[in-house]
Amino acid sequence: IVLTQSPATLSVSPGESATLSCRASQSLSSALAWYKQKPGQAPRLLIYGAATRASGITARISAFGSGTEFTLTISSLQSEDFAVYYCQQYNKWPVTFGQGTRLEIK
Amino acid sequence: DVQLVESGGGLIHPGGSLRLSCAASGFSIFNHYMTWVRQAPGKGLEWVAVIQGGDTTRYADSVKGRFTVSRDTSKNTVYLEMNILRAGDTAVYFCARDGGAGGNFDYWGQGTLVTVSS
């Protein structure tokens, strides 16, 4: 299953909101996760089941979608939010990741 | 606290072998699927292998037949045996714990760098 994330890079000012997209080549039901990765660090799970926040994840992060179209929204952007975001499907083995969206400071 | 610590990376010649270890603490690997994910320099994430309940294993096509994932529950450690290494295997290798839904990963190690070069 191929996951296509858009845009590749998103430039947003602190305090604003950002919406990232992930499209799947076939239906995933709700078996989609989102991760955040900062340089030199391991990825961190943000969302699983397409819309459920992982433990300790801020309510400024929300996600929506099912089937083949998914979105991740981060509101009131803070410095720690600027990173690379990956979607990942686990509906079918092998699990696959999108190519990532880089969220940068405008 | 849940912790995963990888070790065993390094510089290896093409065709060589290497074994990575992932020492887990704060939970039992017996109760969780454990996965390896890699990231080539400047690139995205690529799933490599998983060991599931009953020691069932799955592999990415790119490593099938060359890599073997295993676990020692008495040491609470997962291993990745890598053989016939190629330049394309150069990456940071992360181990990760499955969150319970069969494929999303709630805890990750810090990663260990494998460089395949002559």
Side-chain angles (χ1 to χ4, degrees), chain A residues 55-73:
Chain A
S55 175
I57 300 303
T58 174
R60 295 186 297 105
I61 289 176
S62 60
F64 180 77
S66 66
T68 62
E69 300 283 343
F70 301 86
T71 59
L72 178 75
T73 298

Side-chain angles (χ1 to χ4, degrees), chain B residues 8-28:
Chain B
L11 175 63
I12 189 79
H13 292 309
S17 297
L18 209 56
R19 189 179 82 157
L20 307 182
S21 300
C22 171
S25 58
F27 73 101
S28 172

Side-chain angles (χ1 to χ4, degrees), chain A residues 34-55:
Chain A
W34 290 93
Y35 299 86
K36 166 186 170 182
Q37 188 180 32
K38 304 207 80 169
Q41 295 183 14
R44 181 180 183 185
L45 178 66
L46 302 175
I47 298 286
Y48 63 93
T52 302
R53 277 189 297 274
S55 175

Side-chain angles (χ1 to χ4, degrees), chain A residues 5 7 9 12 42 46 91-93 99 103:
Chain A
Q5 292 187 242
T9 303
V12 185
L46 302 175
N91 187 61
K92 187 178 292 187
W93 292 100
Q99 83 281 13
L103 180 58

Side-chain angles (χ1 to χ4, degrees), chain A residues 33 35 37 40-45 47-49 55 86 88-90 93-99, chain B residues 33 35 37 39 43-47 50 52 58-60 94 101-106 108-110:
Chain A
Y35 299 86
Q37 188 180 32
Q41 295 183 14
R44 181 180 183 185
L45 178 66
I47 298 286
Y48 63 93
S55 175
Y86 294 94
Q88 176 236 333
Q89 69 80 20
Y90 51 100
W93 292 100
V95 301
T96 50
F97 292 89
Q99 83 281 13
Chain B
Y33 297 1
T35 251
V37 173
Q39 186 169 37
K43 302 297 184 183
L45 301 169
E46 179 189 17
W47 173 80
V50 63
Q52 301 173 307
R58 297 177 185 267
Y59 300 93
F94 297 100
N104 68 81
F105 313 122
D106 61 352
W108 296 64
Q110 83 290 350

